[in-house]
Structures are given as structure tokens and as C-alpha cells.
Amino acid sequence: APLHYLNVSPFSTIFQLPSEMDYISTVNALQQDLFRNYRAPLAPLHGRGSSNYSFIEKFFMIITYAKLTTVNERSMTFSIILAPLLMWTDPRLAWNPPQYDDIGHLYLTLDQIWYPNFHACSSSGMTYLTTPNNHVAKVLSDGSVSTRLQVEATFS
């Protein structure tokens, strides 16, 4: 939101931020506009506006944390807690910041948006340690999305 200032004297300036209510109403308007025709179960289409719509499941993943938690010699299994950072672009979530008081990012829960399916290769079981309704993703105004999942994966 723009910063307003008052010149009180030649030696001092008072800065005023717009009220919280103005910010909240702007965020609400932005979310209403973004989700007007948004369907979370549908993967993003790239190449909109051209005759060839294409689905590109292009995302990046970085393992930011891994911890061996269990080793079971008898069943020959082990478990690891992983914290992958997932990053992708959903063009349906892009907006023009100047139209929304220069808001450059939002935090949304995963149950509100599409996100890539993550499964640890060759794992015999996987448990998400957070659920989509309480897990947050950061969405930038260009449609870039990032989130850090927490999963426990079991391998044989």
C-alpha cells in the first residue's frame, strides 16, 4: 500500500500507513477477482490465448530437510521426514499489483489452489504431516507459487 507522509516542519516528517481495514478490503477484492473462475482441481493451462492449449506439469523441487527417523531391520524398512520446497507457476493466479494497492504477494492455503502431486519415488508409504486446509503457499503477482511440504516417507 502506498505510504503517505505529512510535512510537519522542515525538520520532521510523519509517515502514515493506510489503515488495516483498507488493506484487508483490498486483499478481499483481489481474492474475489482471482477466484471468480478458478477451479482448484484443474491443473493450470499454459499458452492461453493461442490455439494450442497445453498442460505443462513443470515444477521445481528442492529437498530442504531430510531426517532419518526409523530403521526397522526385521521388516527391512526405514522412514525419513522430508521437507520439499515446491515451486510452480499458475497463470490463473497472476494479477497487476498497481490495481490492488501494490500488493505483490498473497498467502493462500493449499486447499484453495491447485498444487502438484508429490510422491517420493520407490516409497512404500507416505504420510503428509500437514493437511491442505492448514498448509500455506506464497503466491506472487506473476502467478509463481511456492510451498514447503512436510512428509514422512517409508522405504523398503
Side-chain angles (χ1 to χ4, degrees):
L3 190 64
H4 302 284
Y5 64 92
L6 302 170
N7 284 324
V8 177
S9 74
F11 303 105
S12 67
T13 303
I14 298 174
F15 291 95
Q16 294 178 323
L17 291 173
S19 75
E20 264 186 47
M21 293 308 290
D22 290 343
Y23 174 77
I24 290 170
S25 64
T26 302
V27 168
N28 286 337
L30 171 56
Q31 285 186 337
Q32 283 180 346
D33 290 346
L34 286 177
F35 291 108
R36 184 167 287 120
N37 294 313
Y38 189 89
R39 302 293 177 260
L42 300 176
L45 290 174
H46 295 268
R48 291 164 60 182
S50 70
S51 61
N52 295 329
Y53 288 105
S54 62
F55 169 69
I56 302 172
E57 191 169 347
K58 182 178 181 182
F59 69 96
F60 301 95
M61 180 182 72
I62 301 168
I63 302 294
T64 60
Y65 177 82
K67 180 180 180 180
L68 180 64
T69 57
T70 308
V71 176
N72 187 326
E73 292 179 23
R74 178 173 277 191
S75 65
M76 296 183 5
T77 60
F78 64 94
S79 296
I80 299 174
I81 292 184
L82 300 169
L85 171 64
L86 300 176
M87 298 169 284
W88 68 96
T89 301
D90 188 337
R92 300 171 298 173
L93 295 174
W95 71 90
N96 184 7
Q99 290 180 333
Y100 299 95
D101 288 337
D102 291 323
I103 293 174
H105 68 276
L106 290 174
Y107 291 98
L108 302 171
T109 58
L110 287 183
D111 65 343
Q112 294 176 280
I113 61 173
W114 177 89
Y115 61 97
N117 186 12
F118 169 77
H119 188 78
C121 294
S122 304
S123 67
S124 57
M126 204 166 87
T127 304
Y128 285 90
L129 302 178
T130 56
T131 59
N133 65 340
N134 70 5
H135 197 89
V136 176
K138 183 176 184 178
V139 181
L140 301 180
S141 63
D142 67 355
S144 300
V145 185
S146 63
T147 190
R148 188 179 325 265
L149 299 177
Q150 293 178 345
V151 297
E152 183 174 26
T154 303
F155 297 89
S156 299

